C-alpha cells in the first residue's frame, strides 16, 4: 500500500529523510531509518569544510532559515563514519562539488551507497550548490559526470531560486539523472531589529519548513508536466496530508527535514497516519502519483 | 513552531577567577535547571551555555569567544536566545547528590539553588586543583589534594553515599567521569536514579543540524542535554 519504486530503489514507504538534517552521524541516520522509507545523508565534498559561524540556523514561526555553509568532515572521514552503518533502508549519499570532475571523484568514497543525490541547490555556499544549479549546462554536465562514474541511481536536487525550474529539470534529465529532487531551500534573510543587523553570520541563508510548502508543491507540479523521469518532492512537508499533496502533484516519494524540529520520530507518525488513510480509502501510493494532473 | 527571538541583557556583575567567570545579568532568564541558552557574543559567535542560576552563566575560557565572555565588564550587552533543552527532572525523593566535574558545576549549581531549601542536597565538586573551586560547597575533591578530598568527585561520592538510602544522582562533567559514574550506577542496578547532562559540539540548538547527536542517536540540544541513566549507554560517554 505504501511502497514505491524509483529508479530500481525500493522504498517500503514514501517518506524519506531530506539531506542536511540530522544526517551527519551514523547514529541519527540509524534512528531515523527505523521508520523512514529512505535516508539521505548530509552533503559531503572531497575536502573538509568548516561551514559558517553561529548563528547559522534560526527558527521562525513558519520555517527555519539556515546558512550552515555546507559544513562537512570531507569524503574520507565521512565515509569512515558511515561505512559500517547497518540499516535496512536505502542510504542515499548527498554530494557537493565545484565541478563535474570533482563530483565524479566523490562516488568512489561511498561504495555502500544505494544511490547518490547531487546538491545543485544549496543557496549559501560560494561556487557550490546553487551556483552550479542555476546553469542548465553545468547541471547537465555534473549529472552526466556522475552517471558515467557509477551504475547507481543519481538524483539531482534542484533549486527553486530560478526563473523557470523546468529548464533546470530538463537539463538534469538530459544529463541522465534517474530522478530530480524538488526543491532545496529558498534564499532568505532575517534582521534583528534591536542590534539592527542581519541575524545569520552569513547574512543570507535558505528558508525551509511550512513557509515554502506551497512553492515547492508548485515546482513539483511544473516539473511533472515536462519530465519523463520521476520527481522526489521536498520542501515544507510536515504531515501526511502534505505528503499526499506532493504525491498527487507528481512526486514519487517525498523527503522531510525541518519537521524533525517537532520530534526525532516525526516520520513514524506521518507514515502511520498515511497508512490509516490509504487503508480507509483502499488506495495505494503508487496509483496516486500525479493524479491531480487529470486523465488523458 | 516556537520562535526563539533574540533579546538583549546587560551584565550586572562579574565574578572572575583565573580562567572562569560567573556572569550575572540584570534580569532573570525564565528557565529551569539543566536548560541552556544561546549567547550571542556580538562580533564573535553564538555559543551554547548552561544557566548556572536564573540570572547567571558560568563560563570557562576555552577559545576565542569564551575568552571574550570571561573578560566581560559590567554593562556589556549580550544577545540571548532560549532557554533551550530539557531541564533536569524533578527529584521525587528527599535526598539528592550533585556530582560535578570542573566547569560541569554550572548547570548543577542552578539545581542546587533550586532545591537546597526543600530537600537535602549534597553537592560534590571535583576539580584538578583548588584554584578551580568557584563555589563554596562543603564537599570538594581535588586531584592534587590541595584542598578537601584527594581524588575525583565520583570517588568522593562513593565515600559519602550510603547505597541503602533512597536518593537521586545528578551529574555533569568530563565524559570519562560520567562514564565511571554510569558504570557504578549500572552495577548497583540504580540507573533509574541517575541523570546526566551531556555536552557535545552544537550548532543550531533546535534539533535539526545533527551536530550534537550522541552515539545512541539522541539530539543533545533537543532530546537533552539532560538524560536519564536508562536512556543512555556507555558509548555516549566516549
Amino acid at each position: 500500500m505504501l511502497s514505491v519504486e524509483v529508479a530500481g530503489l525500493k522504498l517500503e514507504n514514501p517518506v524519506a529523510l531530506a539531506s542536511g538534517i540530522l544526517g551527519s552521524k551514523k547514529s541519527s541516520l540509524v534512528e531515523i531509518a527505523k521508520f523512514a522509507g529512505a535516508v539521505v545523508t548530509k552533503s559531503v565534498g572531497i575536502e573538509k569544510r568548516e561551514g559558517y559561524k553561529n548563528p547559522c540556523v534560526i527558527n521562525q514561526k513558519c520555517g527555519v532559515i539556515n546558512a550552515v555553509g555546507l559544513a562537512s568532515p570531507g569524503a574520507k572521514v565521512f565515509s569512515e563514519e558511515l561505512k559500517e552503518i547497518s540499516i535496512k533502508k536505502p542510504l542515499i549519499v548527498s554530494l557537493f562539488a565545484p565541478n563535474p570532475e570533482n563530483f565524479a571523484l566523490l562516488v568512489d568514497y561511498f561504495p555502500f551507497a544505494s544511490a547518490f543525490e547531487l546538491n545543485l541547490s544549496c543557496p549559501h555556499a560560494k561556487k557550490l550548490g546553487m551556483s552550479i544549479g542555476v546553469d542548465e549546462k553545468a547541471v547537465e554536465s555534473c549529472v552526466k559526470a556522475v552517471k558515467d562514474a557509477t551504475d547507481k541511481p543519481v538524483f539531482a536536487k534542484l533549486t527553486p531560486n530560478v526563473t523557470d525550474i523546468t529548464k533546470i529539470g530538463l537539463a538534469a534529465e538530459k544529463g541522465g539523472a534517474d530522478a530530480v529532487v524538488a526543491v532545496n531551500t529558498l534564499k532568505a534573510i532575517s534582521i534583528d531589529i534591536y542590534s539592527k543587523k542581519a541575524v545569520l553570520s552569513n547574512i543570507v541563508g535558505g528558508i525551509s519548513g511550512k513557509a515554502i510548502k506551497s512553492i515547492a508543491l508548485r515546482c513539483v507540479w511544473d516539473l511533472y508536466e515536462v519530465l519523463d523521469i520521476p520527481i522526489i518532492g521536498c520542501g515544507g512537508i510536515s504531515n501526511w496530508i502534505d505528503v499526499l499533496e506532493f504525491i498527487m502533484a507528481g512526486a514519487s516519494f517525498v523527503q522531510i527535514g525541518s519537521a524533525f524540529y517537532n520530534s526525532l520520530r516525526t516520520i513514524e507518525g506521518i507514515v502511520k497516519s498515511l497508512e490509516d488513510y490509504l487503508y480507509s480509502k483502499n488506495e495505494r501510493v503508487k496509483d496516486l502519483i500525479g493524479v491531480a494532473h487529470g486523465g488523458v | 513552531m516556537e520562535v526563539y527571538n533574540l533579546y538583549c541583557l546587560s551584565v550586572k556583575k562579574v565574578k572572575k577567577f583565573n580562567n572562569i567567570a560567573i556572569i550575572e545579568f540584570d534580569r532573570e532568564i525564565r528557565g529551569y535547571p539543566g536548560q541552556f541558552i544561546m549567547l550571542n557574543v556580538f562580533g564573535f559567535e553564538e555559543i551554547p551555555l548552561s544557566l548556572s542560576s536564573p540570572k547567571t552563566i558560568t563560563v570557562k575560557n576555552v577559545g576565542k569567544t569564551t575568552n571574550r565572555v570571561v573578560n566581560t565588564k559590567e554593562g556589556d550587552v549580550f544577545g540571548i536566545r532560549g532557554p533551550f533543552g530539557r531541564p533536569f527532572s524533578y527529584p521525587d525523593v528527599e535526598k539528592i547528590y550533585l556530582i560535578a566535574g570542573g566547569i560541569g558545576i554550572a548547570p548543577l549549581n542552578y539545581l542546587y539553588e533550586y532545591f537546597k531549601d526543600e530537600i537535602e542536597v549534597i553537592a560534590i565538586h571535583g576539580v584538578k586543583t583548588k584554584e578551580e573551586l568557584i563555589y563554596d560547597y562543603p564537599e570538594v575533591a581535588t586531584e592534587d589534594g590541595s584542598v578537601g578530598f584527594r581524588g575525583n568527585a565520583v570517588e568522593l561520592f562513593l565515600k559519602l553515599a550510603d547505597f541503602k538510602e533512597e536518593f537521586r544522582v545528578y551529574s555533569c562533567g568530563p565524559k570519562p567521569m560520567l562514564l565511571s559514574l554510569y558504570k557504578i550506577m549500572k552495577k548497583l542496578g540504580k540507573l533509574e536514579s541517575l541523570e546526566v547532562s551531556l555536552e557535545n559540539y552544537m550548532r543550531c540548538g533546535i534539533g535539526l543540524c545533527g551536530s550534537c547527536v550522541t552515539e545512541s542517536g539522541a539530539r543533545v540540544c533537543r532530546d537533552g542535554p539532560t538524560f536519564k541513566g536508562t536512556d543512555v549507554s556507555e558509548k555516549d560517554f566516549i
Side-chain angles (χ1 to χ4, degrees):
Chain A
M1 190 183 290
L2 288 167
S3 66
V4 288
E5 190 175 332
V6 173
L9 278 192
K10 290 189 172 69
L11 275 68
E12 71 181 47
N13 74 61
V15 188
L17 170 70
S19 179
I21 304 285
L22 295 163
S24 45
K25 299 265 175 71
K26 185 168 66 182
S27 58
S28 48
L29 287 166
V30 167
E31 206 53 38
I32 289 164
K34 286 179 186 162
F35 304 103
V39 290
V40 187
T41 68
K42 168 94 181 148
S43 296
V44 60
I46 292 177
E47 304 290 338
K48 182 182 172 173
R49 269 178 69 92
E50 280 295 333
Y52 299 125
K53 282 187 190 170
N54 267 352
C56 61
V57 183
I58 47 175
N59 65 330
Q60 301 194 317
K61 224 173 194 168
C62 299
V64 177
I65 309 180
N66 91 82
V68 170
L70 288 176
S72 164
K76 198 155 176 266
V77 176
F78 198 44
S79 118
E80 287 292 315
E81 166 79 22
L82 294 180
K83 72 175 183 196
E84 276 161 15
I85 194 167
S86 70
I87 52 173
K88 296 192 181 76
K89 310 292 177 58
L91 174 73
I92 303 167
V93 175
S94 172
L95 311 175
F96 71 81
N99 55 49
E101 297 75 40
N102 282 25
F103 261 118
L105 287 176
L106 279 165
V107 170
D108 287 339
Y109 287 94
F110 304 97
F112 44 81
S114 319
F116 292 102
E117 181 179 291
L118 311 188
N119 181 341
L120 302 166
S121 40
C122 169
H124 48 72
K126 286 176 194 79
K127 295 187 181 166
L128 295 166
M130 181 186 146
S131 312
I132 300 164
V134 295
D135 179 343
E136 292 160 52
K137 283 210 178 78
V139 167
E140 186 186 332
S141 53
C142 286
V143 173
K144 188 167 184 308
V146 180
K147 277 304 286 179
D148 289 345
T150 177
D151 296 330
K152 289 173 182 162
V154 175
F155 307 148
K157 188 161 181 182
L158 309 180
T159 173
N161 300 297
V162 288
T163 316
D164 184 357
I165 196 169
T166 61
K167 285 188 180 155
I168 309 293
L170 286 164
E173 185 173 80
K174 206 169 152 201
D178 296 280
V180 292
V181 184
V183 291
N184 205 315
T185 54
L186 275 90
K187 277 182 127 175
I189 66 168
S190 172
I191 290 169
D192 170 41
I193 60 165
Y194 302 106
S195 62
K196 303 185 174 72
K197 288 195 167 98
V199 179
L200 290 169
S201 68
N202 188 54
I203 301 173
V204 176
I207 187 164
S208 57
K210 280 187 177 162
I212 72 163
K213 191 207 92 180
S214 303
I215 299 167
L217 187 66
R218 187 266 305 163
C219 291
V220 170
W221 177 281
D222 287 351
L223 288 162
Y224 190 79
E225 295 270 319
V226 300
L227 295 187
D228 293 324
I229 53 173
I231 300 151
I232 299 159
C234 184
I237 298 164
S238 61
N239 58 50
W240 64 275
I241 298 173
D242 294 345
V243 174
L244 281 175
E245 273 196 85
F246 273 77
I247 285 169
M248 290 178 186
S252 294
F253 70 90
V254 301
Q255 298 176 350
I256 288 186
S258 303
F260 273 94
Y261 176 81
N262 303 317
S263 157
L264 204 51
R265 290 167 68 171
T266 291
I267 289 186
E268 182 186 7
I270 292 177
V271 171
K272 285 204 166 125
S273 306
L274 197 58
E275 189 173 20
D276 284 350
Y277 176 80
L278 294 170
Y279 182 80
S280 73
K281 293 276 180 186
N282 194 22
E283 284 175 333
R284 297 184 304 178
V285 170
K286 56 184 142 195
D287 299 332
L288 296 174
I289 299 168
V291 290
H293 290 261
V296 182
Chain B
M1 192 176 269
E2 310 99 300
V3 181
Y4 295 99
N5 281 326
L6 187 85
Y7 54 98
C8 291
L9 291 183
S10 64
V11 174
K12 192 178 165 195
K13 218 159 79 187
V14 184
K15 210 169 156 191
K16 189 155 180 270
F17 303 82
N18 284 331
N19 59 345
I20 300 171
I22 302 171
I23 294 161
E24 185 182 327
F25 294 111
D26 57 345
R27 272 190 303 149
E28 283 193 7
I29 298 167
R30 252 200 295 174
Y32 294 96
Q35 289 192 296
F36 66 94
I37 55 163
M38 288 301 238
L39 187 78
N40 198 322
V41 188
F42 299 122
F44 291 79
E45 276 201 78
E46 189 182 53
I47 52 171
L49 288 169
S50 283
L51 289 170
S52 57
S53 83
K55 273 188 178 181
T56 63
I57 48 174
T58 302
V59 192
K60 187 176 177 180
N61 184 350
V62 292
K64 252 191 205 164
T65 307
T66 45
N67 179 52
R68 164 71 186 81
V69 180
V70 165
N71 290 303
T72 191
K73 299 271 175 307
E74 282 163 33
D76 283 355
V77 173
F78 289 101
I80 286 166
R81 292 194 299 138
F84 300 92
R86 199 164 66 167
F88 285 117
S89 64
Y90 196 89
D92 44 5
V93 289
E94 289 303 308
K95 183 174 189 173
I96 59 175
Y97 282 93
L98 313 183
I99 304 174
I103 195 67
I105 191 68
L108 294 175
N109 183 67
Y110 194 173
L111 197 61
Y112 177 80
E113 290 189 6
Y114 208 87
F115 288 114
K116 67 177 180 196
D117 299 328
E118 288 182 35
I119 53 175
E120 188 183 355
V121 184
I122 301 171
I124 303 171
H125 192 190
V127 290
K128 285 204 173 71
T129 167
K130 66 177 179 192
E131 277 74 45
E132 292 171 45
L133 289 169
I134 50 172
Y135 291 103
D136 301 321
Y137 295 127
E139 303 299 346
V140 296
T142 50
E143 277 175 28
D144 63 359
S146 50
V147 67
F149 176 80
R150 180 192 285 269
N152 67 34
V154 176
E155 287 161 4
L156 179 54
F157 162 65
L158 287 178
K159 202 181 136 202
L160 294 173
D162 175 2
F163 285 94
K164 287 185 214 88
E165 283 182 337
E166 199 190 6
F167 58 77
R168 282 189 131 188
V169 179
Y170 297 86
S171 186
C172 182
K175 282 187 173 164
M177 183 199 100
L178 294 177
L179 178 63
S180 71
L181 180 63
Y182 177 84
K183 282 182 177 165
I184 289 162
M185 297 299 278
K186 192 176 176 184
K187 214 170 155 189
L188 292 166
K190 284 182 174 287
L191 275 186
E192 74 283 355
S193 11
L194 174 68
E195 208 163 306
V196 295
S197 175
L198 292 181
E199 184 189 30
N200 274 5
Y201 176 70
M202 211 180 262
R203 281 184 83 102
C204 76
I206 55 173
L208 291 178
C209 76
S211 311
C212 66
V213 170
T214 66
E215 286 298 312
S216 306
R219 303 166 297 178
V220 170
C221 70
R222 195 126 171 94
D223 305 315
T226 67
F227 291 93
K228 298 239 162 64
T230 44
D231 292 340
V232 285
S233 63
E234 287 184 16
K235 59 187 180 186
D236 293 324
F237 302 112
I238 292 163

